[in-house]
Amino acid sequence: MHKRNGRILATLAVAFSVAACGGGGGGGGGNQSVPPPAPTPTPSTATVTITPKGPIVHNDYTGVSFTTMAEGTVAATNLAPGESIYLRLRDTNNTLAMPATQPVTPNQPFKFALGPKGELMPSDYSGQIEFTACRDAQCTSMYGPPVSVAYSLDIWTLGEWETIQRDATHAGFVPTTIDTTRLNLIWDWRPPAPTGAVLDTFITRPATDGDGVAVLAGYNRPSGPQEAALYSIHEHSGKTRWSYAIPSGTYAQAPATGVGQVFLQTLNSPTLLTSFDPHTGAVKYSIGSGAGTGTQTLAPTSYANLSFYNAGPNGSELHSIDNVSGTLRWSRPRTTNLQAGTPTVRTGEVIYQSGNKIEIVDILTGAPRGTINDPSSDGASSAFARSIVALGSRGNAIAVSYNSATGAHPLSSFNLDGRRWEWSTSASYRSFAVSDGMVYAYREGAPVPTLDAIDEATGTVSWSWSPQAIDAQVRTTGNIMLTQNLVFISTEGNGGDSYVWAIDRATRLPAWRYPGGGYVIMSGGRTIFVLTGPGNGRPPELLRAFRVQ
């Protein structure tokens, strides 16, 4: 789409004049009445000139209730006493909601707020805004023809929830707003009912692929190997599109997605990574590894046409592959502790946590580009089963540190450009998400479930939220998902009863609550998925889908 700047100057000038000329009359009889001559009206002219600013250009994400402005000036001359000017706006393509016809003050600027008429899907939108100067609020009489100014809207896709905490930033942030008053359950999904006795049913962390959601689901038997399959579920109907049975004796990880890919990692198998077509389930390629069940790796991270993941013996290597072909681009040893994780990616760099260090390598070659020491971590091997670095909003990265001597696991911030540690929190945290200068995290060791909002620049707590005692919730669970206006979190009670909450970021109060908390994600099409289950340490077994309707 081509955008151009400039100013459209449109002028309308209408002059009305009425003149009456007297005429003679023929003579009649002497008794014929002669009407008096009609009064000659006073000539009247009114000139109205509309000068709108333009073109109107706005870029935003789908689902955002954005506001753009229609501005300009109205000049008038020779208005008769009592005459008014009303301005009517019309969108020729019916994309933007128009304000009511309103009076404007002559020779003064005007400004009207325009927003989307409905939810705009990702695309380019263009049209004309017509301005008409009217003599009355109903616009039954006009000063002249309308004046137009061009507008163009570039509505971006939100992107998919591809891996742990959404994408290559792992920040857990979706750039959209959600109206919780219109948020409704549209379907529930469970894996097919098993035959015979099972200990429990499980569904792993989901990932979205454009019009579907991928999960690994199955059963744990009282004896024998785990039974599982990779499922692709249609986003809007909740119907299974396809499934792929995991070979017996193979341990599979939660899936990930990339552009045109569904990725599945399998351990204790000749194949480490398999790529599937998201629509048909056809295998695109497989990559061997011979990794055992203890290999320290998690779902891949995709960035542009590349994917990154831990591979090699015990996950001791970092690999980069071409997304489309599966061709290995580069590999390099991982140093220090082999924490299970998935890399973080920003322009030009791949970032991962390694014990008490943040390692940074080149995105194209894997060559080392920097190391940041973490003074809050002692690099103990028992640090974490899973380690994720999230990109902040100020050129920094956020990660959970660990000190085996104190048992503390604070959040720490690292300046990526300056290659230095910035701060660590005084409290311990686990799950967190980042956006707009704030880190939202579950505080560990709190007497009640506690969400802390932490200033990203200083590491200090700005505000906190906990459920009321009447809710009988005793711990936080699942992940944290952010939108522009909400923080989605989950809590659980001792009886296994749980809730998913949406906390308003402005009011710091709950805007929405629904039974069944757990792992929360959002697709690029703004479907919210909640993975939930019986709680009390048992695996999730139900996938729910919600949409704004």
Side-chain angles (χ1 to χ4, degrees), residues 6-67:
R7 188 178 190 83
I8 297 178
L9 180 64
T11 304
L12 63 89
V14 181
F16 293 96
S17 62
V18 179
C21 300
N31 296 327
Q32 183 176 358
S33 175
V34 178
T40 301
T42 303
S44 174
T45 61
T47 301
V48 176
T49 303
I50 303 175
T51 308
K53 292 183 179 180
I56 300 169
V57 177
H58 187 85
N59 305 324
D60 227 316
Y61 290 98
T62 182
V64 174
S65 298
F66 64 82
T67 297

Side-chain angles (χ1 to χ4, degrees), residues 144-274:
V147 174
S148 298
V149 64
Y151 73 84
S152 62
L153 309 173
D154 190 0
I155 304 301
W156 306 321
T157 179
L158 294 174
E160 297 300 327
W161 195 286
E162 298 178 338
T163 188
I164 299 171
Q165 286 302 81
R166 191 170 185 260
D167 56 15
T169 69
H170 303 301
F173 171 64
V174 186
T176 189
T177 57
I178 295 294
D179 180 357
T180 56
T181 65
R182 299 167 53 210
L183 193 59
N184 295 293
L185 177 70
I186 59 171
W187 53 256
D188 287 343
W189 183 90
R190 288 181 172 86
T195 57
V198 297
L199 289 175
D200 49 43
T201 302
F202 67 87
I203 306 175
T204 64
R205 181 185 62 250
T208 64
D209 59 37
D211 58 0
V213 57
V215 297
L216 181 76
Y219 316 97
N220 292 310
R221 301 282 187 181
S223 62
Q226 183 183 82
E227 298 176 16
L230 174 66
Y231 293 91
S232 175
I233 306 160
H234 193 274
E235 177 176 345
H236 299 291
S237 69
K239 303 296 183 182
T240 299
R241 299 193 298 183
W242 54 265
S243 63
Y244 171 84
I246 307 301
S248 180
T250 297
Y251 177 73
Q253 303 263 41
T257 58
V259 178
Q261 318 280 333
V262 174
F263 292 111
L264 181 70
Q265 282 187 320
T266 48
L267 309 181
N268 198 32
S269 163
T271 299
L272 173 62
L273 187 67
T274 303

